[in-house]
Amino acid sequence: MLDSRFDPSAAEARLYKRWEELGCFTPSMDTAAEPYCIVIPPPNVTGVLHMGHALNHTLQDVLVRFERMRGKNVLWQPGTDHAGIATQMVVERELAKEGKKRTDLTRDEFTAKVWQWKAQSGGQIVEQDKRLGVSADWSRERFTMDEGLSAAVRKVFVQLYNEGLIYRDKRLVNWDPHFQTAISDLEVENRETPGHMWHFKYPLAGGETYEYMEKDEDGNVTLRETRDYISIATTRPETMLGDGAVAVHPEDARYAPIVGKLCEIPVGPKEHRRLIPIITDEYPDPDFGSGAVKITGAHDFNDYQVAKRAGIPMYALMDERGAMRADGAPYAQEAAAAKKRVDTWLDLFDPSGAGRFHSPAGETAPEDVSGANLVPDAYRGLDRFEARARVIADITADGNAVMVEGEDGAMVPLVEDKVIMQPFGDRSGVVIEPMLTDQWFVNAEELSKEARAAVADGRTDFVPENWSKTYFNWLDNIEPWCISRQLWWGHRIPVWYGRSLSGDPNTLVITYNEQLGPVDGRQIFCASSESEALELAAEYARKELRLDEVDAFVSDESTVNRIDMTNSGQVPFQYPIVQDPDVLDTWFSSALWPFSTLGWPDKTKELETFYPGAVLVTAFDIIFFWVARMMMMGLKFGPKGADSKPMVPFKHVYIHALVLDEKGQKMSKSKGNAMDPLELIDEYGADALRFTMARLAGMGRNIRLSRQAVEGNRNFGTKLWNAARFCQMNECANWDGELDPAALTEPVNQWIAGEVAAAFAETTAALEAYRFDDGAGAAYKFVWNTFCDWYLELIKPLLNGEDEEAKAETRRVAGWTLDQILKLLHPFMPFITEELWGALAEHGPARGDVLMRQSWPRLGSAYVNPAAAAEMDWVCDLISEIRSFRADLGVPAGAKVPMTLVGAPRANRERLTRHHAAITARARLETARAEPAAPEGSVTTVVGGASVALRIADLIDVAEAKARLDKEVAGLNKELAGLSKKLANPNFIAKAPEDIVAENRQRLADGEVRVDKLAAARAGLDAL
RNA sequence: GGGCGGUUAGCUCAGCGGUAGAGCACUACGUUGACAUCGUAGGGGUCACUGGUUCGAUCCCAGUACCGCCCACCA
């Protein structure tokens, strides 16, 4: 006998272990079976199971268990992601506990430490997933840094490089000063932050003046004054030292007189201030600020564009920590040189009115200088925010701040409070600094073409469909993808540098900067291994070197790799190469996940069988990071299909909601509103959490999770458990596992068989359409409302009755139905269903195998018996109506009353006889008879066109009974009036579909009968 | 600024051209031999607003208001 409740904590681990031991999670590899593959979105190896995982993994597990039961050859491919920054961060924190920094170790020592950390405490999420019931094939677990996956990364990189789709470029990138690495656009979070805008005067060179005029819309002059400066508004004064120009709009009349002239940056020692030209560009908005913008190409993305267009030099003022550089030549020394350069620029300036520099050869005109030299000694080494304060103070002290009248009438510097969108690193949380550095980029635009086309032509589709718009929108505006990261943990870029062996001997120097990588005079060898790179290098050197030059190239570097070569077998020389120190963006390897996990680039059986995946299940927040990139890489490198083109990595992308707390807030540790899935599992069991997730996983954008919801679904489990207990107590079992619906004789049994079929049809259709909510909802409704509330109650008389045949049939059917329910719920609630499946076998049929490996029933129309369904509907209606009537009239719940059915057709009189026991029990009746007339002292209601008379006159308040009838008649009459009006409308009759018209006529007719009967009942009450 | 979405019962949300739904909450009654983590019954909605299309609109279309989210961004 079952206990009165299910104890998840005792059962879950045992059941999970059983499944594992039986190998339930590994694909059947049955060649006749249709393959079905889902790759898990790999959680970070540092990750712990949060609600997002719980939802994501539950949904996949539902699909995977469902498809396994449907007989498919299912692989759910699990694994974890090495998560570059996140993992490096964790290990650095560990080191900090020992009082060490990453840089106290060598790179190799550090990465060894990370591997060690991973072995000890990485991947806890896998164990946590097991508690949730995740049925992934753990024997095939992969890690993005595994040797095989790393080889895939290198192969992809090399090929993209060779095709020119990966390239190195010096561009302005997002720099995270905390982690001291470049990051991609997607890793930047723009947030509104309170800030200030300062207004400063840039004096014109040589004290020149001009007439400054402002006009209103009608052309009236509102301000006219003589100025010897141009006013500039900025939110970032600390970058002024790197200004290359001041730009105004070409049609801005206010500044027309001074375009092409020079102005002075009002910062730094007075005698050495730099002069910069005033240029025109479409970028400045005349209506914003002063209409004049300082152009600081190395520190602002907009300015960068302007500087490139106009040939303005860019000066990088900051170091990798975001502090003002301290590595420059003495400032005074630079100043003299700067003067000279200005003269050169002016030669190149086009005075004809275009207000731009020429660059006849299409080259940047002014010579680039190191921004380091432009930082005055006083600012060197200052953090960017300290530098800002100093610059503001110095300019103000100097009298170059724009002044306005303050509240007390005194003149004060003009500083506007302004909310500015500020970029933050999504991991570090520090303000991102645009930095001009050499980085590796992927030509995402090129790769995006096929990725876009595949969704546009339906090779892959999004569910819900409208996420494809988001996908398109991003791809259509895609920027180059910065893939290099200045970290130690990750896939090291498979590129080696050597000296350039041709051209000017002066350039034959590898300038190797720890942070920024080799920057000059290099020769690139991109190869999937160091030995291949050495071969390439050797080939190159042999080609370029002339024997008589060999001596010049013998390296004195001792720490780098060397190749010893013999040119013509005679003169030995050395040609050192050094690998790029950077690693790849984590998402680069994630992009390969759908095929790298299956063994690519080897032609494995797994790849052949399981690629492309059936569906990718993920949340919308990583459509750009991951989904789009998997599409790009899959369509470039994935196994080829019938058309000999690479196939999409998955056919469907199911995008689920984000899990929010009950108030609709995003869960986060810092807000303290995070719910821990493990804690919920401890308290309510994994099934309750899973079922909650499935029921909430509608098509919406977010789901609000509450403890109460989980509790409710735990209660559902208890309900199921007790239903099973009831079946067990009544010896309900289906001994042979079969059921022939045609052989059934009891209507209640015929009916429930059809309801089982309907429930499976509904849940199956819902899961096929990724409607987890509907699938779980249909199962829930069937189990609770149909099976427990009605079927089990209706069969009690049969189980307790004398008719042994009916009893035997009912036991069989109840047992069968319960077995089907366990199958129906298994994808959602694997533990409790498996436990019951096994427990019921103790005093029931032997099961042969675990529930998890049972097949999903396909119950055809043979199971549906419309006559039985109609009969049971009538029985249930009768019971419901009597119960409702009794309750409304205040008949004591315990009172058993006599009931008389009046004016019912013969079929219903027979039904009454057949279900006499059930009806009297459920409706709490003393007697239930069909008679030609209602007996004395009875009060009447109406069911299905017949009057139902209850002899309760002495139990109730007659006035209340009248009121109830009046209320119902009134409501009915209102409805009937509407129907009559509709049916009297010739347009309705003419234009509405026939079945709708017929339905309305029927409703009117039925309603009229009911009104008549109710009126009669009312009259009967009057007579009392 | 560009894009996407929302507004339906007290709450959370389904629905979708033809009688407004669920869960939770609420009210009343109830220990009927599986289950009080339960049962029975009940109350509760001008489906944001304004127009349009239609025989008929919560649903389709246009506009308005408010609320979200994503992307970009004015120095």
Side-chain angles (χ1 to χ4, degrees), chain A residues 540-557:
Chain A
Y540 167 78
R542 275 196 202 98
K543 209 171 94 197
E544 294 292 331
L545 276 185
R546 290 196 307 272
L547 216 56
D548 57 351
E549 292 175 325
V550 163
D551 285 349
F553 300 102
V554 173
S555 169
D556 58 359
E557 294 177 57

Side-chain angles (χ1 to χ4, degrees), chain A residues 148 152 155 595 598-608 639:
Chain A
K155 186 180 164 70
F595 50 88
L598 300 176
W600 189 90
D602 294 339
K603 289 198 164 58
T604 60
K605 189 165 170 47
E606 284 79 2
L607 208 55
E608 191 190 327

Side-chain angles (χ1 to χ4, degrees), chain A residues 58-69:
Chain A
T58 295
L59 299 185
Q60 289 171 75
D61 199 50
V62 168
L63 288 175
V64 147
R65 286 177 185 267
F66 169 62
E67 297 295 359
R68 268 193 211 105
M69 290 176 83

Side-chain angles (χ1 to χ4, degrees), chain A residues 255-500:
Chain A
Y255 301 113
I258 53 169
V259 166
K261 300 195 188 296
L262 295 174
C263 61
E264 186 182 85
I265 300 171
V267 195
K270 274 192 181 135
E271 61 281 19
H272 295 312
R273 284 187 184 163
R274 283 171 51 223
L275 294 174
I276 53 174
I278 297 165
I279 65 163
T280 61
D281 192 275
E282 300 287 332
Y283 165 64
D285 174 359
D287 297 328
F288 188 85
S290 68
V293 185
K294 69 192 202 63
I295 300 301
T296 321
H299 289 280
D300 182 281
F301 287 97
N302 288 307
D303 294 4
Y304 177 74
Q305 296 300 334
V306 176
K308 276 185 91 163
R309 276 199 289 274
I312 301 297
M314 309 180 199
Y315 305 111
L317 299 172
M318 294 175 199
D319 63 17
E320 54 278 2
R321 300 182 340 267
M324 304 305 281
R325 289 169 71 169
D327 60 339
Y331 185 78
Q333 177 187 319
E334 173 56 28
K339 171 76 180 77
K340 225 169 111 189
R341 267 195 307 280
V342 165
D343 295 342
T344 319
W345 300 350
L346 289 178
D347 289 344
L348 288 161
F349 193 69
D350 175 4
S352 68
R356 310 183 74 90
F357 284 93
H358 296 292
S359 34
E363 292 160 13
T364 302
E367 184 193 341
D368 195 9
V369 293
S370 168
N373 297 343
L374 299 184
V375 180
D377 302 345
Y379 300 133
R380 291 189 177 188
L382 288 184
D383 174 78
R384 51 194 163 147
F385 299 110
E386 284 173 49
R388 177 181 303 176
R390 286 286 296 277
V391 166
I392 294 164
D394 290 350
I395 295 177
T396 308
D398 235 18
N400 279 321
V402 173
M403 305 298 278
V404 289
E405 200 173 307
E407 277 173 31
D408 53 1
M411 296 302 278
V412 295
L414 174 54
V415 182
E416 294 175 65
D417 287 329
K418 191 172 179 324
V419 174
I420 48 178
M421 268 293 190
Q422 213 163 8
F424 292 89
D426 64 354
R427 286 269 165 204
S428 65
V430 304
V431 176
I432 293 304
E433 195 59 44
M435 290 274 245
L436 198 56
T437 58
D438 278 295
Q439 301 290 342
W440 288 97
F441 295 89
V442 169
N443 182 342
E445 194 186 345
E446 186 56 35
L447 291 176
S448 73
K449 288 176 188 162
E450 193 57 16
R452 191 191 198 289
V455 172
D457 65 24
R459 274 174 280 166
T460 292
D461 57 41
F462 279 85
V463 183
E465 185 275 330
N466 52 295
W467 285 110
S468 56
K469 290 183 193 163
T470 303
Y471 175 82
F472 289 145
N473 199 265
W474 188 66
L475 288 183
D476 291 342
N477 298 293
I478 199 159
E479 293 286 321
W481 172 17
C482 176
I483 50 170
S484 41
R485 297 288 180 277
Q486 287 66 48
L487 303 173
W488 279 359
W489 175 242
H491 299 282
R492 192 155 169 184
I493 289 178
V495 161
W496 286 260
Y497 302 98
R499 297 173 175 183
S500 175

Side-chain angles (χ1 to χ4, degrees), chain A residues 73-127:
Chain A
N73 175 21
V74 172
L75 169 61
W76 187 9
Q77 172 63 54
T80 47
D81 191 287
H82 69 278
I85 290 181
T87 309
Q88 180 161 324
M89 213 161 94
V90 167
V91 176
E92 283 188 83
R93 211 177 291 141
E94 295 281 305
L95 281 177
K97 284 182 198 156
E98 301 165 27
K100 283 193 218 156
K101 293 198 304 281
R102 166 169 58 112
T103 44
D104 293 343
L105 278 59
T106 66
R107 181 170 181 149
D108 286 345
E109 283 167 354
F110 181 77
T111 49
K113 199 100 187 163
V114 180
W115 280 108
Q116 198 186 335
W117 173 87
K118 183 201 174 247
Q120 279 166 7
S121 37
Q124 334 170 20
I125 195 165
V126 169
E127 291 312 308

Side-chain angles (χ1 to χ4, degrees), chain A residues 1-243:
Chain A
M1 171 62 106
L2 291 168
D3 293 339
S4 68
R5 278 171 217 175
F6 174 55
D7 179 4
S9 57
E12 286 173 355
R14 165 169 47 79
L15 293 167
Y16 195 90
K17 195 164 156 242
R18 179 96 197 284
W19 292 326
E20 277 194 306
E21 284 167 359
L22 290 171
C24 292
F25 304 158
T26 54
S28 65
M29 281 309 190
D30 172 359
T31 47
E34 185 184 333
Y36 184 92
C37 175
I38 295 181
V39 291
I40 205 167
N44 287 355
V45 66
T46 53
V48 292
L49 194 77
H50 57 57
M51 281 300 170
H53 296 124
L55 171 66
N56 181 258
H57 296 181
T58 295
L59 299 185
Q60 289 171 75
D61 199 50
V62 168
L63 288 175
V64 147
R65 286 177 185 267
F66 169 62
E67 297 295 359
R68 268 193 211 105
M69 290 176 83
R70 295 218 288 180
K72 292 188 186 166
N73 175 21
V74 172
L75 169 61
W76 187 9
Q77 172 63 54
T80 47
D81 191 287
H82 69 278
I85 290 181
T87 309
Q88 180 161 324
M89 213 161 94
V90 167
V91 176
E92 283 188 83
R93 211 177 291 141
E94 295 281 305
L95 281 177
K97 284 182 198 156
E98 301 165 27
K100 283 193 218 156
K101 293 198 304 281
R102 166 169 58 112
T103 44
D104 293 343
L105 278 59
T106 66
R107 181 170 181 149
D108 286 345
E109 283 167 354
F110 181 77
T111 49
K113 199 100 187 163
V114 180
W115 280 108
Q116 198 186 335
W117 173 87
K118 183 201 174 247
Q120 279 166 7
S121 37
Q124 334 170 20
I125 195 165
V126 169
E127 291 312 308
Q128 297 170 334
D129 261 338
K130 292 181 178 179
R131 291 214 51 206
L132 189 65
V134 162
S135 64
D137 184 359
W138 299 113
S139 71
R140 290 167 204 259
E141 190 186 339
R142 295 287 183 274
F143 180 53
T144 47
M145 291 272 279
D146 282 351
E147 183 40 43
L149 277 71
S150 301
V153 163
R154 291 192 297 267
K155 186 180 164 70
V156 164
F157 187 100
V158 172
Q159 189 176 329
L160 289 175
Y161 175 83
N162 288 335
E163 291 183 28
L165 293 170
I166 282 182
Y167 56 92
R168 194 165 172 81
D169 196 7
K170 190 186 191 96
R171 285 173 55 114
L172 204 55
V173 297
N174 299 296
W175 185 269
D176 186 317
H178 179 258
F179 290 117
Q180 298 177 27
T181 176
I183 57 179
S184 77
D185 301 347
L186 288 175
E187 290 162 282
V188 176
E189 201 182 307
N190 290 301
R191 286 204 300 265
E192 284 191 341
T193 319
H196 306 283
M197 194 157 76
W198 292 270
H199 293 253
F200 299 130
K201 296 174 181 174
Y202 280 46
L204 293 182
E208 231 180 295
T209 61
Y210 65 110
E211 282 292 297
Y212 176 86
M213 248 195 298
E214 276 178 12
K215 293 179 181 172
D216 63 16
E217 284 169 13
D218 302 326
N220 303 316
V221 174
T222 55
L223 176 65
R224 179 201 290 266
E225 62 185 24
T226 300
R227 283 189 178 177
D228 59 355
Y229 65 89
I230 182 167
S231 173
I232 302 288
T234 179
T235 55
R236 302 207 53 197
E238 71 278 17
T239 66
M240 284 170 63
L241 292 158
D243 290 352

